[in-house]
Every structure is written in C-alpha cells, then in structure tokens.
Amino acid sequence: MRAWTERWSEVQWGVHLKRILATNSNDGVDLAEILLQQALVGSSPNSLVLSYLKHIVLSQVIPHSTVFKHISTYDDISKPYCIIALIDIAETFSTKLSFSYGTDSSLQMCKSLLMLVHWLLNNILKCLQKIQDGKSTPEYVSITDRASSAVLKTLEKQTVCTLLQIARAEVTDNYRDFEQAEVNVRGTLSQLSQSQNALPTTTKDKVSEMLGSLSRLQDMNLPSDNDDDGPKLQLCSTINTLVSLEAVLNSTNELQPFVDQTMVIARLLFFQKLSWPQLYVEIFRACFMGIIDAPANSPEDLKWTSFTFLKIPQILQRLQQNAAGRDVMADLEQSFELLINSTNLLDLADQKKKCDSIEQLLQGCIKADLLKDVHSQRIMQRREKERGRLLDKAESSQGVPCSSIVILRAEVTVSSILKTLDTDFQKNQEPLFSLLCKMMSGKSFEIILAAAASMGELQNLAIKLIKLNEFARHSAGEAGKASQTRARLFDITFLMLCPILQQYGLETITNGHKETVDSFFVQWAQRWFPEDGKYKNIENCNPSDSNKVESLINLFLSSGELKTSLTRWHEVCLNTPFAIQEILFAWEHGAIGPEQVKTVLENVKNWMCCLPVVVSCWLCCYINTADQERREKPLLMLEQLMTISNKSDSSAQNDSRCQFMKTVIEHLSQDILPANHHLRNISKQYIPANEPPAIILEETLKLVFSKGWVDLKSLHTLEQVLNLCGSDRFCDQVVHHMLESNKVDDLCMAVSLVFALFHMDLEHLTLSLLVNTLPRILYSADNSHLMIDPRGYTLAKLVVLCITAAQVSKVGQKEPYVRRGRKRSRIDVDVEEMDECEVRPSKMRKINEPQLTLLSEDFTFDDMTVKEDGEHSPAFDTKEPLNKAMVNLFCLLNAIIHDKRVTARTGFIRSFIDEALKCGPQYYRFILQFMPSNMLPQLMKTMPGIFTNQQILHICDLSTLSGRKLAAKAVCHNSYLKVTS
C-alpha cells in the first residue's frame, strides 16, 4: 500500500521488498495472491500493482507456477478489462518462463501451465457463447483475440508442450476437462462460422489457428531415424537367415513363434520406410535361394520344398492378421511382381525343381484365400515374358518327377495316413502293416515327414505311431500269423520313430503330451537313444531280470527262434543290450571267438530290425566312454550290424526295413566313428577333428559376412560350433568378428546377420551377450576401440534387438523356454528346478573390476527405482534370467555413467538408449523399466542436451509419480540449458 500511495517505481519496489524478505520470515505469505487482490479490486485493473507483480515474478522472487495458479482461479467475466489484463500478464509470463527451481516445482509447473491454458480456453469459450447469444461487445472480441494469441505464444515453446503432456498423466481428470473445453470451443466456433458478421475474420482465423495448435499438442512421437547415419538393419540378410533357420533347423515348430519374430523385424524396419511387399518378396527370395542351395533329394531339399510350398502360405495368413486395414491381396500381388524381377533366381529354382516354382507357390496362396485366380493369371503372364533360358533345360528333362508336386501330394497322403492310424488296431493289423511298409519304401518316409512337419502334424503322426507300438509290444493271445503281424508292427513302428527322433528331437513327441511319456519307446529313448552327438551314460546299468538276459544269450549263440505268440517285444529290446554286453565281455576275455560273435549279431539282425538299432545305441554309448584299446571290438560289432545280408528268399518288405535299419544306425554312429573311418559320412562332418572349432567358426563367419547370406553348409557348421562350444564362447567370437570392420555398410550387413543367427538359441545367446560379452567389452581397456562409433552404435543396436526379440519370444510361449526345434539338455532342466542363486556363484566369471550383480547381499529389485509413498514395486519375475541380466546391465551402465570421465563407453550408453527408443513403445518399455532413477539426471549432467524432450517423455514412466517428477525435472533442465547457452 505504501508503494502504491508513494508511486514507487518497479525497481524501488523490488529493493524494499527484498530488504523486508531478508529480515522477516514469509512462509505463510502469498505475495502473488496479495498483489492480485489489490490489482483487481475495481472494474479496471491497477496497472501499477500489476507492474510490481511482473517485476517480482520476472526477477524470480516468486515462481511462475504460483502466479498461474491464482490467475486461473479468476472467472469474473463481468470485468472484461481485468480479464484482458490478466491475459496480457499471463502471456508475458508464459513466454518468459524460468525453469531453475527445485524438483517439486517442475511438476508443479506442469500442473499450473495446464490450469493456465485451460483458463484461457474457458475465457474464449465464454466469450464465443456470449457472441453466439447476440451479446457481442468489443471487449468480448478482444478477450477472444488476446486469449487465442496467448495460447499460441505459450504453445510455441516445445518445453511447454512437453510439460503439458506430463500434466496429462499427472492430473488426468483436469486434462479431460481441458480436452472437453477444446471440443466445446470447436463446436461453438463452427456454429458462429455459419452466421454473418458474428465474429471478425481475423479473430476467427486466430481461434482456428489456436485450435490447430492444440490438436498438434497430442503429437509427441519420436522423430524418425531415416536421416540417421548409424547402421540400419538390412532386410535381405536378416530375413534370409531367419527363414533358413526356420526351414532347416526348426521345421517342426509352430508357426506363431516365427511370425512373431518376423513381425518384430518388420516393425523395426518399417521405421526405415520399408513396405509389406518388400517383406513378402524377401521371404520368397529366401525360400528359392534355399531350394537352389540344398543338394538334390537330400533331407534339406525336402525341408525347403515343404516349407516353401506348404508352410509359406500359412505364414502369410498369420502375417495377414497383423496387417489390419491393408489390402493384403494387393500387397502380395505387388510382392510377386517384385519377385519376377529376380529372373535368374526363379530360373534356377525351376531348373532344380523341374517345374514352375512360382506357379506352385501361387497355387498355395490361392488355396489359402490370399490371392484370386485373376491375380495368378496376371502374374504368370508377366513371368512368361521374363522367363530366361535356363528353364528350357528343365522342360527338356522328361520322366523326372517334380519334387514340389510330390510334396504337395504328400499333404493329402499325410491326412489319409493319420485317418488310417485312427482305426481299430486290433481289427486292422494287416492293412496297417501294408500301409507302413509302403511308407518305408524308397524316400517315401522322408517326404511324408517333411510334409507332416510343414503341416504341423508331425507330432500327431509320431504319437499315433507310439500308440501302435504300444499296442503291438506283446501278444494278446494270438497265434501264428496274427502274432507275427503284431511283431512286425512293433518292429516297423519302432524303426519309423527313430528317424523322427534323429531329425526333429525327442521333444517333438513328448512336448505337451503326457500320455506318451510313460510309453515304452519314449522311456527307452530317454535312457538309451543318442541325440545331437550326445551319448548316454551306461555305467551302473543292470537288467531287471538276469534270467531273461541269460535266455537271450543262449538263443543268440544257438541260433534259436523266439515264439512270437509268447514274446514281449519291449522286454526283448530292454534285455538285448545286456546280452550283447556279456557277449562283448566274453570276446574281450577270449571266452568266445569272432566267428561266434558274428553269428550272434547275424541272429540279432534276423530276428527283428529294431534289435540291431537297440544294440547299436548301447555300443555307441559304450564306445563313447571306452579307452582307445577297448574300442576296436565294439567298433567291429557296430560295422557288422550295419552290413545287410543278401538273402535270396528276402522279400521287398524285409529289404526296405533292413535298409531303413542301416540308415538309422549309420546316422546315430556318425559322431562315434573315428575321423578316418570308411563308414563316416564326410559330407556331414562340418567340424574336422584336427581343427579347433574357433578357427572353423572364424572361417565360416568370414564366408557368411562376405556373401551377405547363410548357405546350408555354413548354417550346419555354425549350429555344430554352437552345440560344441556353448553360447558364451560362440557369442563372444561372433560379436568380436562383427565389430572388426569400421565401415558403416559392412557393419549394417554384419549386425543384420548376427541378429538373425542368434535365433539359433535366442535366449541363451542373448543372456551370454548381456552377462558375459558386453560387460567384458565395457570393462576391458583392450576393447575400448570397439566402443567408438560406428562400432559402438552397432553393438548397441545388436544388444537392443536381441533383448527385444528374446522378450517377444518369452511372451509368446506358453511352455518354459525350449530351444526351438531342439531338445533341452539335462543341465538346463536341472538348473530350472534349483534356486539359481545356489548354482551361479561358482560359475560367475571374474573380471578386472568389481561387477555389480544381483547376487550382492541385501540387493532387491526395490533398489532400482526411487518410489513415492503409496507406489508399488515393479512387478518383476525375480527368477527370470532375462530380467536379472537386464538389472545387471543397467547397474553396470549406471556405474559407468557416474564415473567422472567421459569416454566411448558413455557414448555407447547414449546409443543403447537411442536404439531402445527406436524400437517403439511396445518394445522399449520393457528395456527402460530397468533403468535406475538416478541414471537419466546423471546422463544429462554428463552430456547436456543429450536427449530431446520427446525422448525424455518416452524414457520416463509417466504412469508413476516418480517417473513424472523425473521427466518434469529433465525437461526443465533441457530448457534451462537452451536459455543459458
């Protein structure tokens, strides 16, 4: 009052006020409220008092948020000049905001800004309604015009828009009222636009411009990375490798895991303006490249053919469901048009398959209702014009069956076989036996398995064969021919199940079907059958009935016969290895000679074809643990079992079974035979015995990276190296090889290939990357050059891609993680059943500097974030390995960022967060939820302006109070830097 009566200047007022504030406590005094009350007493505002208010706000004596709060409570529209004065002062303050206050004031600023803009919008609405009611006055028009200008100038600041987004999450009810006010202003303005001279054109345009600015307020998306110079994922290399893994190594998988991983890649690549037709055509190209690369009539050839012509249409159907709102037929037609441009590729595929491959694929798409006949006709007309000369050679080959047509026919055959196997076994033994014999002739069974795998019916087929094997394992009182048929059914079903185990793994039979677990074949396979070069332990194994073993020994030595009506064939299979063990021990000690051993083995082969397989499994396990001197005799016995006797009275059915038996034994004995053995298949020996796996891996990676795609031999080599060396060594060497080059193009190719190759064992390789390889690179001074861009950026991209893909894979699985298309080792199963904290300390790798780990005493997931009162801890699965690895990684990154030195490691952290954000909210939220609360402020202190306001909104979790406070403080810090710079 003294300042007003004595007409102090603003400077005098500020000096006296600061002097009073310095000598008196003003905790309970609200200067803004006092000054506004004095300024707005009359119908017109007191300009001198308002100038005092401006001075103390702009000189930062009181915060802006306090003034905004009091301004937004004034609603006396009957004093238009007071409203206009408040609008002017609000515009002045909002365009000269200060963001240098404490942590709480940043969040308060968000709420007060929302209140201020909402107040301005309400004043516009009230004035428009007055004008609509015919009460138009110059004051109302002026309020509308000035309030619109104030909103426009307020929203010109990117910081204000960002803070309003934080306020949207902080006070959802108030923001909803604000949005409703915007809707009401739009409606009122549209009604006024229909009347003449109701509102000046300039004012109307300004209100429309203001509304447009408000509509853009919602768009806080992250900017596209199209102009980024960092390495980008290459569609061709990634899809080609992913399709190869699915077709060759994971041919029995369900479709959805592959579709999910393809969609992850698709969403990541759509940021690079890649389209659905480009995605489809790369899948097609990968299939035809695989068909050309696979040796003719090999198992891989059948897998590629069945995958291309049976499985691809099903995959396209699933992808169609993720392309909602798009014309899938138009996209597919465009993709085929693009495919036709690859003339040489299609010509080579046609020559290899002896048919028109693109026509066969089109027929599959038509059958799946993905295309119409009219589309197919247009595409084929174009294909005829583009067809090269190579196809003439294929057309000249007469009398050679087309393998793709054979596979398509096998689809119907598999369905028919499954129906036949559902019949009553007791009444249809002879027809069943005839059917199974036809299935074993030539390459029929391989074709049937390939078709069944692509149809998703392989497990169903295996289960039905197991049930038939269980039915036939002992006689039900039949005699003569009936019991012989039952014995042959047991024999042939046993033989058929062995290749299924060898090619597709035991989990193909047991996964999700508990009724098969107790069957004889599964029990025997789990105990004796070698898989993936891993042989079982036969020590301390004793027969359940020694008398039966003794009886079998006598029969083998005397060339006796078993009575099929009395024999329990599963017991014969269980006891025969023990009988052969006694024969072998007797031979080793000189009790019998080689001729007698040969006689015994011939008798074993003459009885049933499944018995040599059983004996060979035991011999392989025995050789695996025997020393060099003791291996000679069992190897001779194994060779004898693989020799087929030529009998003049042998039937075609017996010959096919014997040949089938020989193939099974050769396959299971490959890893136990000496490297120079004449029966060892050199073509399947991808890792020579005299060369270290590390050298083989290095050479294979060089070949793959130079070509830009993974051929069949390289794929099998990499798989064998992974199985042999484990995920830690494999991951370490692959990542270091990826980072050898410093050229962006080479790194783009490398990261695309490595990311796809990691899908061979996605979870374990991702964990190896997070727990072993990445910490080693970050800590080691020798690896500091690997952190320098573009290498560091490439490594960050790989880490983010692997985390994202592993998380999608985990979410999409109903059962515990199993390496796709492969069985889990017993170690993996045991570890899952134990508390991980009891087994990991002894296996923890030690590095030069102390490693932050979840195993630290008193560490909990609560330590990751600072929670406000009433907030709950994050709902993490504390036993999930990926979650633990992520916490470890962010603890390590947080320790690095709090180091006083700014190094290449600091740049890697920035690249890691950038790459996470580029994955989109459906993926980056999982990664950034593990980020410690003090990491973002420290990053912004270390590297000011490192993140934009949009990025800050996505980094912080706005659903929590602590996240909103952190975001508001970071945004204000960004704005403060711009003001001071």
Side-chain angles (χ1 to χ4, degrees):
M1 294 300 297
R2 180 185 169 191
W4 177 70
T5 55
E6 296 181 8
R7 297 298 188 270
W8 287 353
S9 67
E10 296 174 3
V11 176
Q12 286 178 292
W13 154 259
V15 171
H16 284 81
L17 179 65
K18 290 180 180 179
R19 189 176 299 159
I20 295 173
L21 295 178
T23 57
N24 297 276
S25 174
N26 63 327
D27 292 342
V29 178
D30 192 335
L31 289 174
E33 183 180 14
I34 293 172
L35 291 173
L36 283 173
Q37 286 177 352
Q38 296 299 321
L40 304 175
V41 171
S43 59
S44 296
N46 188 325
S47 58
L48 182 61
V49 176
L50 286 180
S51 69
Y52 295 157
L53 178 62
K54 284 184 182 180
H55 180 77
I56 62 173
V57 172
L58 296 179
S59 60
Q60 300 187 13
V61 176
I62 60 175
H64 290 76
S65 57
T66 305
V67 184
F68 291 161
K69 181 179 67 175
H70 291 298
I71 290 176
S72 60
T73 58
Y74 190 85
D75 58 354
D76 191 355
I77 196 69
S78 63
K79 297 181 178 181
Y81 296 106
C82 291
I83 295 288
I84 292 172
L86 290 179
I87 291 173
D88 291 340
I89 197 171
E91 180 180 332
T92 302
F93 290 157
S94 62
T95 54
K96 297 180 180 180
L97 288 174
S98 174
F99 301 99
S100 58
Y101 292 102
T103 56
D104 290 338
S105 65
S106 298
L107 194 57
Q108 185 62 38
M109 178 69 78
C110 300
K111 295 186 285 188
S112 62
L113 278 171
L114 177 63
M115 295 170 63
L116 178 67
V117 177
H118 190 187
W119 177 77
L120 291 170
L121 207 58
N122 280 333
N123 283 318
I124 295 172
L125 177 61
K126 290 176 183 178
C127 291
L128 290 178
Q129 289 173 342
K130 293 282 186 181
I131 296 172
Q132 186 181 23
D133 295 339
K135 302 176 182 179
S136 177
T137 63
E139 290 80 7
Y140 291 149
V141 174
S142 179
I143 291 174
T144 304
D145 189 87
R146 294 194 182 193
S148 299
S149 297
V151 174
L152 283 170
K153 291 184 179 180
T154 301
L155 296 182
E156 283 178 357
K157 279 183 170 286
Q158 185 65 34
T159 303
V160 173
C161 297
T162 309
L163 292 176
L164 288 175
Q165 289 299 309
I166 299 173
R168 181 183 187 181
E170 174 68 15
V171 282
T172 54
D173 292 339
N174 293 352
Y175 198 89
R176 196 177 299 113
D177 295 340
F178 164 68
E179 290 179 318
Q180 185 60 49
E182 180 188 350
V183 172
N184 294 339
V185 170
R186 290 182 187 277
T188 307
L189 182 65
S190 65
Q191 294 174 5
L192 284 173
S193 299
Q194 299 173 3
S195 59
Q196 297 294 329
N197 303 322
L199 193 67
T201 304
T202 55
T203 304
K204 191 182 303 181
D205 293 341
K206 192 169 291 186
V207 174
S208 299
E209 185 182 357
M210 180 270 300
L211 291 173
S213 180
L214 287 176
S215 64
R216 290 190 295 273
L217 182 64
Q218 309 294 335
D219 184 18
M220 296 298 290
N221 293 326
L222 291 168
S224 174
D225 65 330
N226 293 329
D227 299 328
D228 191 7
D229 294 332
K232 296 181 175 64
L233 208 61
Q234 292 193 353
L235 180 63
C236 176
S237 301
T238 308
I239 291 296
N240 179 277
T241 307
L242 205 63
V243 169
S244 298
L245 291 174
E246 190 70 14
V248 179
L249 301 184
N250 303 322
S251 55
T252 61
N253 272 14
E254 295 181 359
L255 297 176
Q256 197 57 45
F258 175 74
V259 172
D260 291 342
Q261 293 301 337
T262 304
M263 286 306 304
V264 170
I265 296 171
R267 291 189 181 105
L268 296 177
L269 289 170
F270 288 160
F271 286 106
Q272 300 172 200
K273 301 298 183 183
L274 293 170
S275 61
W276 282 98
Q278 288 176 299
L279 176 65
Y280 294 146
V281 76
E282 288 302 334
I283 294 176
F284 297 154
R285 285 193 184 119
C287 291
F288 289 125
M289 288 171 69
I291 286 174
I292 295 168
D293 185 46
N297 300 321
S298 64
E300 286 80 7
D301 183 29
L302 293 175
K303 286 181 179 180
W304 271 115
T305 305
S306 58
F307 180 84
T308 303
F309 300 112
L310 294 182
K311 214 166 187 177
I312 285 297
Q314 302 175 53
I315 291 172
L316 294 176
Q317 280 183 317
R318 299 288 183 96
L319 290 174
Q320 178 185 10
Q321 298 171 7
N322 292 280
R326 292 192 59 85
D327 187 349
V328 179
M329 287 188 178
D331 287 343
L332 270 177
E333 184 178 10
Q334 185 179 349
S335 68
F336 275 104
E337 294 286 342
L338 293 172
L339 178 63
I340 290 173
N341 294 330
S342 304
T343 306
N344 291 337
L345 178 71
L346 294 176
D347 288 346
L348 287 170
D350 292 349
Q351 184 185 31
K352 179 77 176 290
K353 294 285 103 181
K354 309 295 188 297
C355 68
D356 197 324
S357 299
I358 198 170
E359 183 179 10
Q360 298 295 332
L361 185 56
L362 282 169
Q363 292 302 317
C365 293
I366 292 173
K367 185 178 179 182
D369 291 329
L370 296 168
L371 289 173
K372 302 295 184 183
D373 289 331
V374 62
H375 300 124
S376 177
Q377 292 172 4
R378 285 201 296 263
I379 294 168
M380 289 309 301
Q381 288 174 1
R382 168 88 186 279
R383 170 62 180 147
E384 290 299 328
K385 296 179 182 178
E386 302 290 338
R387 195 183 304 276
R389 298 178 180 177
L390 286 173
L391 190 60
D392 297 337
K393 301 178 182 179
E395 291 174 338
S396 62
S397 302
Q398 300 296 329
V400 180
C402 172
S403 59
S404 59
I405 294 178
V406 171
I407 284 290
L408 293 173
R409 290 174 180 171
E411 184 180 14
V412 180
T413 305
V414 169
S415 301
S416 175
I417 291 171
L418 293 175
K419 290 181 181 179
T420 305
L421 291 175
D422 281 332
T423 58
D424 189 345
F425 297 153
Q426 184 68 38
K427 297 179 181 178
N428 299 281
Q429 294 185 35
E430 284 292 342
L432 285 172
F433 179 68
S434 300
L435 171 67
L436 297 178
C437 288
K438 291 179 182 178
M439 290 170 60
M440 293 185 76
S441 61
K443 300 185 75 66
S444 298
F445 193 63
E446 290 184 28
I447 296 172
I448 289 170
L449 290 186
S454 295
M455 294 167 60
E457 295 289 350
L458 183 62
Q459 188 178 54
N460 191 18
L461 175 63
I463 290 172
K464 293 182 186 301
L465 290 174
I466 286 179
K467 290 180 178 179
L468 182 54
N469 183 263
E470 283 289 292
F471 162 78
R473 68 181 189 173
H474 63 83
S475 175
E478 306 103 332
K481 188 176 180 180
S483 63
Q484 292 176 3
T485 303
R486 183 185 288 265
R488 290 198 295 267
L489 282 173
F490 177 88
D491 190 29
I492 198 168
T493 51
F494 190 101
L495 288 176
M496 285 182 165
L497 287 166
C498 289
I500 297 178
L501 261 64
Q502 290 174 329
Q503 294 184 42
Y504 303 103
L506 184 59
E507 86 280 357
T508 303
I509 300 174
T510 58
N511 191 22
H513 289 270
K514 295 182 179 180
E515 67 270 19
T516 63
V517 175
D518 297 328
S519 65
F520 156 72
F521 183 83
V522 172
Q523 294 286 333
W524 171 82
Q526 289 175 339
R527 181 63 192 86
W528 298 103
F529 199 79
E531 280 192 86
D532 297 329
K534 300 173 184 177
Y535 296 92
K536 307 300 172 66
N537 181 16
I538 62 172
E539 295 182 1
N540 302 321
C541 291
N542 298 308
S544 57
D545 191 340
S546 300
N547 294 328
K548 293 181 179 179
V549 175
E550 187 68 28
S551 176
L552 283 174
I553 293 173
N554 294 331
L555 285 172
F556 288 149
L557 290 171
S558 62
S559 301
E561 292 287 342
L562 285 172
K563 294 183 179 180
T564 56
S565 59
L566 302 175
T567 302
R568 295 178 178 269
W569 293 109
H570 65 288
E571 293 182 357
V572 174
C573 290
L574 292 174
N575 291 317
T576 296
F578 296 108
I580 297 301
Q581 175 181 277
E582 296 300 324
I583 297 293
L584 175 60
F585 290 168
W587 187 19
E588 290 178 338
H589 289 81
I592 60 176
E595 290 300 323
Q596 289 176 289
V597 174
K598 183 177 180 180
T599 300
V600 168
L601 296 178
E602 287 297 324
N603 290 332
V604 170
K605 291 192 289 184
N606 290 337
W607 279 8
M608 296 183 77
C609 290
C610 66
L611 293 182
V613 175
V614 171
V615 173
S616 298
C617 289
W618 182 89
L619 285 172
C620 288
C621 297
Y622 177 82
I623 295 170
N624 186 53
T625 57
D627 56 37
Q628 191 64 33
E629 294 181 359
R630 294 169 55 203
R631 288 188 173 195
E632 181 181 356
K633 288 182 172 60
L635 277 173
L636 291 173
M637 296 175 73
L638 197 58
E639 293 175 12
Q640 180 67 25
L641 291 172
M642 283 188 276
T643 304
I644 299 178
S645 303
N646 294 322
K647 298 181 180 179
S648 58
D649 58 342
S650 177
S651 64
Q653 294 176 351
N654 288 335
D655 288 344
S656 62
R657 274 191 290 165
C658 290
Q659 189 61 44
F660 209 86
M661 170 203 73
K662 179 183 178 183
T663 304
V664 171
I665 297 174
E666 286 177 345
H667 191 284
L668 65 87
S669 63
Q670 285 300 306
D671 292 301
I672 209 66
L673 293 174
N676 57 351
H677 198 278
H678 68 280
L679 291 176
R680 184 150 188 170
N681 189 349
I682 304 299
S683 63
K684 299 294 184 181
Q685 190 176 347
Y686 299 102
I687 305 179
N690 57 348
E691 289 193 45
I695 295 178
I696 299 298
L697 178 57
E698 186 72 17
E699 293 174 352
T700 305
L701 290 174
K702 285 182 180 179
L703 176 63
V704 169
F705 284 14
S706 65
K707 294 168 63 174
W709 64 286
V710 183
D711 60 277
L712 187 60
K713 182 181 178 182
S714 299
L715 181 62
H716 283 302
T717 303
L718 292 170
E719 185 204 20
Q720 288 191 9
V721 172
L722 175 59
N723 290 335
L724 182 63
C725 299
S727 59
D728 284 353
R729 288 184 60 187
F730 183 87
C731 173
D732 200 61
Q733 190 168 348
V734 169
V735 170
H736 278 80
H737 190 88
M738 177 188 76
L739 299 176
E740 283 184 357
S741 176
N742 61 355
K743 297 180 180 179
V744 174
D745 291 341
D746 294 342
L747 290 170
C748 289
M749 179 73 70
V751 73
S752 303
L753 287 167
V754 171
F755 170 58
L757 286 174
F758 270 32
H759 285 74
M760 287 194 293
D761 196 353
L762 184 58
E763 184 189 30
H764 291 107
L765 285 170
T766 300
L767 291 176
S768 295
L769 178 64
L770 298 179
V771 176
N772 177 51
T773 303
L774 184 57
R776 188 189 298 271
I777 293 175
L778 288 171
Y779 269 128
S780 174
D782 297 335
N783 293 323
S784 59
H785 66 285
L786 300 180
M787 292 286 97
I788 300 173
D789 289 337
R791 290 190 180 103
Y793 199 95
T794 303
L795 180 60
K797 180 179 282 289
L798 176 66
V799 173
V800 170
L801 290 174
C802 290
I803 294 171
T804 301
Q807 173 61 13
V808 170
S809 178
K810 296 287 290 185
V811 171
Q813 288 170 352
K814 300 178 182 178
E815 299 295 330
Y817 184 86
V818 180
R819 182 179 169 192
R820 295 169 57 195
R822 287 290 180 268
K823 69 186 182 74
R824 286 184 296 179
S825 66
R826 188 164 295 278
I827 294 176
D828 293 334
V829 179
D830 292 341
V831 168
E832 286 182 2
E833 297 174 352
M834 300 172 64
D835 187 3
E836 193 171 353
C837 66
E838 297 178 1
V839 299
R840 281 191 63 186
S842 61
K843 298 182 180 180
M844 185 69 67
R845 292 185 179 271
K846 295 183 179 180
I847 47 184
N848 296 330
E849 299 183 37
Q851 183 179 14
L852 296 170
T853 168
L854 284 181
L855 303 173
S856 304
E857 292 186 6
D858 301 328
F859 181 89
T860 65
F861 281 93
D862 296 344
D863 299 328
M864 291 170 48
T865 55
V866 177
K867 298 180 292 300
E868 302 294 328
D869 294 339
E871 285 188 354
H872 299 288
S873 301
F876 298 123
D877 182 1
T878 57
K879 292 186 178 180
E880 173 56 49
L882 185 59
N883 289 348
K884 291 191 174 187
M886 290 299 299
V887 174
N888 268 313
L889 176 62
F890 271 104
C891 287
L892 173 60
L893 298 180
N894 197 31
I896 292 172
I897 205 63
H898 279 81
D899 192 356
K900 296 180 180 179
R901 298 168 297 173
V902 178
T903 64
R905 300 188 303 177
T906 315
F908 169 81
I909 298 173
R910 183 256 176 93
S911 299
F912 175 74
I913 297 176
D914 278 345
E915 280 301 317
L917 293 175
K918 290 173 185 175
C919 291
Q922 67 269 43
Y923 302 132
Y924 71 64
R925 182 46 51 200
F926 168 77
I927 297 175
L928 296 179
Q929 65 180 331
F930 299 100
M931 189 174 181
S933 57
N934 61 342
M935 187 170 172
L936 178 62
Q938 185 63 30
L939 267 171
M940 300 188 70
K941 288 179 183 177
T942 306
M943 293 180 283
I946 182 176
F947 296 120
T948 64
N949 291 339
Q950 294 99 320
Q951 288 177 316
I952 291 171
L953 286 184
H954 290 80
I955 291 173
C956 300
D957 185 4
L958 299 184
S959 64
T960 64
L961 177 57
S962 56
R964 293 191 292 272
K965 283 188 175 183
L966 184 62
K969 184 178 179 181
V971 170
C972 290
H973 179 72
N974 257 3
S975 180
Y976 179 72
L977 288 175
K978 292 178 181 178
V979 172
T980 56
S981 59

